[in-house]
């Protein structure tokens, strides 16, 4: 029981200390007026809240840390390792390691003291400001769009001036080359930006600001951004909108009121109410945002992953949009082709109708003229007989043309425009968010009066270029080829010469290749591949083996190895070679057999004269040991074709084979040639033995 009591007592003390420390961090604010900064040389000074003549200084100078010998703490290694990837470039990139920070030098402090005397003769420098928190980002030009910067690193920033932070950057080949070349100039294209959080007090402002928490919390952007980091610019524009729609009210309560200052103060207070800076003591730190547990990826890895995902999503969506747009264009083009064809038909039809109308009107005009000269004469055309009688008003060719023929207008359809969707913009830089939303548990309105000083936290971004070049520290920059023989492995290729799948199916069970490599260390490496009918076809007659590097410092001898080949043929025939040395990377597996095609020929007249009804030919051969193999060929004299071919395999340098012919005669008798040996490729089987 006592042990349990002691445990809970210790736990309570630790919890109390943790809470106290957390509250102290959250409530930390320097006794300085943050909205009345004074520029003094390269430093920014902030007056004290109670003692207006005391000033704390802030440096905006980014600087490199130095080793004991005075060299900068920077190392840039551009590396490559060779790989067969069907290009003329190896695989590689760059690694940039930098230790840097910010802080005022003695010369800057002395210059600031002199500048302060011109502003406030009683002014004195007390010491450096201490930041509440912040992050530091490193960016390089986007190789695809050099006008934009791509953030490649993010880390917690030191809150005390003079402290340093170390950054390791992993750069692609193109980025590494770009940064490498820029480091040979006076202003390298690597930017180091601090996004610091300065806690202090505002000067009095005769205004009252009312924040409607519920109205802001229920806004769709706040609801959508609960788990999403916000950029500082997005936060500012959002609260400007809240001021416009009345969710944040600004009221003048004194003569020293300035609207723009009141708006800035309102945005500042609303930001503190609803957001916490990324990486600050109050909000989630970089490790928590990244889901770190000691060995998990860093926040930058997560940010890069999100960026790559968003890029890929945007590209995928744009690909779908392009596909839809292309389909819409194709559909519109198809419809327009139909419309153009329809309009062409309509124009042709209209032209035909108009031509017929004009012709008819012309005929009727001619008939009218004839009728006026011969009123009772009948006018007949090729299609009808019409009697035209003049009216009292009189008929003229013009009247006939106008009354009988009116030109027809073609009814054409307008072509359609494809309905296209605009592509999304693909994110081009990695954005590091500035704020994350707080969990708001208090509703109602918050009223803030600025008649007195009020604690506040303001962002203090600063940064710049470290100004280091390759000329300043040649030993800090290296180009290396990581073609380390220890990691080398040698791939050997094997191909079977002179065989195809049919050969395997007819003669061969399998072929095996073994290699043996004796290393300089005395160790042996063995590898083996077996080629069967199945994988011979599936792998396209290309098989690989390999061995690695084991103390083989003599590169030429490392290429030497031994191999032997085994063959298994049908009928139990097996052939195996002795171990043979070589240094070639391709082994030609040449089987100890060669194909021989035997042609069988017969003349029908000779067979009919001898009374032959059919012929059986037996080809007998041996693959080099084991049992004989044989193939059969039959000729029926009643068929049209009496010739044929038989393919066999023989050991190399051997041409002879055996054969036996049996002639079946009409009446049931047989004549046999007996087993004979020959090397001929053509056998005449139409001559019977005597």
């Amino acid at each position: 029981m006592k042990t349990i009591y002691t445990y809970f007592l210790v736990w309570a003390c630790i919890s109390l200390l943790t809470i106290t420390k957390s509250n102290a961090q959250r409530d930390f604010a320097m006794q300085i007026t943050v909205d009345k900064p004074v520029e003094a040389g390269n430093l920014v000074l902030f007056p004290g809240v109670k003692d207006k003549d005391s000033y704390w200084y802030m440096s905006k100078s980014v600087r490199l840390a130095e080793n004991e010998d005075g060299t900068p703490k920077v190392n840039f290694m551009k590396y490559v390792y060779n790989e067969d990837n069907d290009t003329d470039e190896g695989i590689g990139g760059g690694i940039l390691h930098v230790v840097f920070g910010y802080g005022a030098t003695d010369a800057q402090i002395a210059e600031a003291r002199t500048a302060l005397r011109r502003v406030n003769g009683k002014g004195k420098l007390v010491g450096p400001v201490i930041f509440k928190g912040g992050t530091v980002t490193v960016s390089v030009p986007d190789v695809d769009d050099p006008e934009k910067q791509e953030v490649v690193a993010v880390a917690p920033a030191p809150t005390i001036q003079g402290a340093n932070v170390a950054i390791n950057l992993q750069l692609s080949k193109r980025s590494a080359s770009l940064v490498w070349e820029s480091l040979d100039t006076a202003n390298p294209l690597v930017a180091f930006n601090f996004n610091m959080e300065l806690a202090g007090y505002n000067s009095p402002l005769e205004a009252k600001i009312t924040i409607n928490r519920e109205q802001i919390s229920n806004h769709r952007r706040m609801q959508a951004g609960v788990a999403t980091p916000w950029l500082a610019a997005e936060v500012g524009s959002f609260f400007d909108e809240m001021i416009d729609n009345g969710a944040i009210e600004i009221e003048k309560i004194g003569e020293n009121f300035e609207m723009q200052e009141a708006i800035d103060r309102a945005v500042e207070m609303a930001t503190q109410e609803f957001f916490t800076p990324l990486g600050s003591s109050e909000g989630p730190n970089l490790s928590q945002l990244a889901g770190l547990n000691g060995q998990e990826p860093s926040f930058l890895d997560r940010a890069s992953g999100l960026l790559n995902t968003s890029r890929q999503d945007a590209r995928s969506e744009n690909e779908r949009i392009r596909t839809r747009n292309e389909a819409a264009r194709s559909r519109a083009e198809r419809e327009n082709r139909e419309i153009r064809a329809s309009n062409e038909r309509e124009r042709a039809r209209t032209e035909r109708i108009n031509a017929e109308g004009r012709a008819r009107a012309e005929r009727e005009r001619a008939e009218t003229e004839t009728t006026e000269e011969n009123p009772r004469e009948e006018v007949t055309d090729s299609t009808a007989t019409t009697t035209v009688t003049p009216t009292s008003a009189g008929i003229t060719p013009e009247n006939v043309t106008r009354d009988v023929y009116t030109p027809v207008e073609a009814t054409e359809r307008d072509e359609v425009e494809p309905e296209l969707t605009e592509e999304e913009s693909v994110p081009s830089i990695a954005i590091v968010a500035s704020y994350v939303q707080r969990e708001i548990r208090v509703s109602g309105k918050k009223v803030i009066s600025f008649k007195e000083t009020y604690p506040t936290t303001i962002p203090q971004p600063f940064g710049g270029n470290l100004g280091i070049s390759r000329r300043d520290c040649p030993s800090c920059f290296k180009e290396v080829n990581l073609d380390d023989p220890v990691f080398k492995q040698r791939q050997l290729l094997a191909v079977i010469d002179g065989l195809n799948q049919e050969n395997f199916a007819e003669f061969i069970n399998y072929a095996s290749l073994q290699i043996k490599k004796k290393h300089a260390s005395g160790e042996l490496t063995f590898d083996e591949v077996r080629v069967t009918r199945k994988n011979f076809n599936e792998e396209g007659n290309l098989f690989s083996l390999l061995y690695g590097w084991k103390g083989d410092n003599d590169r030429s001898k490392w290429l030497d190895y031994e191999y032997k080949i085994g063959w298994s043929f049908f009928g139990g025939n097996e052939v195996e070679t002795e171990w043979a040395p070589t240094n070639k990377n391709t082994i030609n597996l040449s089987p100890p057999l060669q194909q021989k095609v035997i042609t069988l020929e017969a003349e029908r007249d000779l067979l009919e004269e001898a009374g032959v009804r059919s012929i059986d030919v037996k080809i007998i051969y041996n693959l080099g040991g084991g049992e004989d193999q044989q193939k059969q060929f039959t000729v029926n004299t009643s068929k049209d074709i009496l010739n044929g071919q038989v393919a066999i395999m023989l050991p190399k340098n051997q041409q002879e084979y055996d054969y036996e012919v049996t002639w079946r005669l009409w009446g049931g008798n047989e004549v046999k040639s007996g087993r004979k040996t020959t090397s001929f490729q053509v056998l005449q089987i139409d001559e019977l033995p005597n």
Side-chain angles (χ1 to χ4, degrees), residues 482-522:
L482 302 181
D483 186 21
D484 192 331
V486 173
F487 300 105
K488 278 288 188 180
Q489 63 182 23
R490 190 179 189 207
Q491 185 180 40
L492 306 174
L493 300 177
V495 295
I496 296 182
D497 181 35
L499 289 182
N500 52 37
Q501 188 179 14
E502 288 72 22
N503 297 145
F504 258 109
E506 292 188 26
F507 306 107
I508 301 174
N509 293 316
Y510 64 85
S512 65
L513 170 64
Q514 294 177 312
I515 64 165
K516 177 175 64 176
K517 169 59 184 175
K518 185 175 182 179
H519 299 277
S521 63

Side-chain angles (χ1 to χ4, degrees), residues 378-669:
E378 294 184 348
V379 180
T380 305
D381 61 16
S382 59
T383 58
T385 301
T386 304
T387 302
V388 181
T389 303
T391 65
S392 59
I395 297 178
T396 67
E398 291 77 9
N399 288 339
V400 173
T401 302
R402 182 176 64 253
D403 295 339
V404 176
Y405 167 63
T406 300
V408 178
E409 293 291 336
T411 304
E412 298 186 8
R413 294 162 53 195
D414 294 331
E415 294 189 12
V416 299
E417 291 290 334
E419 296 182 3
L420 304 180
T421 304
E422 186 177 353
E423 294 186 18
E424 296 183 1
S425 59
V426 178
S428 58
I429 60 174
I431 301 293
V432 179
S434 298
Y435 293 93
V436 289
Q437 289 181 215
R438 295 180 187 271
E439 183 179 352
I440 305 299
R441 297 178 179 174
V442 181
S443 59
K445 295 183 178 181
K446 181 174 183 177
V447 180
I448 307 168
S449 176
F450 288 97
K451 287 186 177 181
E452 304 295 335
T453 58
Y454 199 89
T456 186
T457 302
I458 62 171
Q460 281 293 323
F462 59 89
N465 191 291
L466 295 182
I468 182 68
S469 72
R470 301 209 309 267
R471 294 188 296 269
D472 299 328
C473 181
S475 63
C476 298
F477 302 90
K478 296 180 180 178
E479 294 175 294
V480 297
N481 189 310
L482 302 181
D483 186 21
D484 192 331
V486 173
F487 300 105
K488 278 288 188 180
Q489 63 182 23
R490 190 179 189 207
Q491 185 180 40
L492 306 174
L493 300 177
V495 295
I496 296 182
D497 181 35
L499 289 182
N500 52 37
Q501 188 179 14
E502 288 72 22
N503 297 145
F504 258 109
E506 292 188 26
F507 306 107
I508 301 174
N509 293 316
Y510 64 85
S512 65
L513 170 64
Q514 294 177 312
I515 64 165
K516 177 175 64 176
K517 169 59 184 175
K518 185 175 182 179
H519 299 277
S521 63
E523 297 181 74
L524 290 174
T525 295
F526 291 91
D527 198 3
E528 180 179 15
V529 64
R530 173 173 289 195
V531 183
T532 64
R533 282 167 284 175
K534 184 175 182 297
N535 64 9
F536 177 82
N537 185 49
E538 291 178 350
E539 300 185 23
N541 192 18
L542 188 63
F543 310 92
S544 64
L545 309 93
L546 59 83
Y547 60 84
W549 184 278
K550 296 181 181 180
D552 302 287
N553 294 323
D554 189 330
R555 296 294 295 269
S556 62
K557 290 185 178 179
W558 181 66
L559 301 177
D560 297 334
Y561 65 95
E562 296 178 85
Y563 74 96
K564 70 176 180 178
I565 308 169
W567 299 90
S568 174
F569 300 101
F570 287 1
N573 296 317
E574 293 189 355
V575 178
E576 186 173 82
T577 67
E578 298 293 331
W579 286 104
T582 185
N583 59 9
K584 297 179 180 178
N585 70 336
T586 302
I587 304 172
N588 186 29
L589 306 183
S590 181
L593 301 177
Q594 60 184 353
Q595 188 181 62
K596 189 180 185 74
V597 178
I598 303 167
T599 302
L600 307 174
E601 295 181 349
E603 294 287 342
R604 184 180 301 278
D605 294 342
L606 294 177
L607 296 178
E608 289 179 353
E609 182 180 344
V612 177
R613 185 172 188 174
S614 65
I615 308 172
D616 289 334
V617 182
K618 186 185 298 182
I619 306 296
I620 306 159
Y621 58 97
N622 194 289
L623 299 176
E627 299 180 357
D628 287 342
Q629 308 291 317
Q630 65 179 22
K631 285 192 173 184
Q632 198 86 9
F633 184 81
T634 300
V635 175
N636 191 328
T637 58
S638 63
K639 303 296 183 181
D640 293 335
I641 300 176
L642 303 180
N643 302 329
Q645 289 185 329
V646 175
I648 63 173
M649 299 293 288
L650 292 173
K652 286 186 176 179
N653 303 321
Q654 178 178 330
Q655 296 294 324
E656 293 183 339
Y657 62 93
D658 292 348
Y659 71 94
E660 185 176 345
V661 184
T662 300
W663 293 271
R664 291 186 174 86
L665 308 179
W666 293 97
N669 293 331

Side-chain angles (χ1 to χ4, degrees), residues 356-372:
E356 293 174 353
R358 288 192 295 270
R360 185 170 58 252
E362 183 64 27
R363 289 196 302 271
E364 292 179 358
R365 184 187 64 78
E367 292 169 358
T368 301
E369 292 175 353
T370 304
T371 303
E372 288 179 349

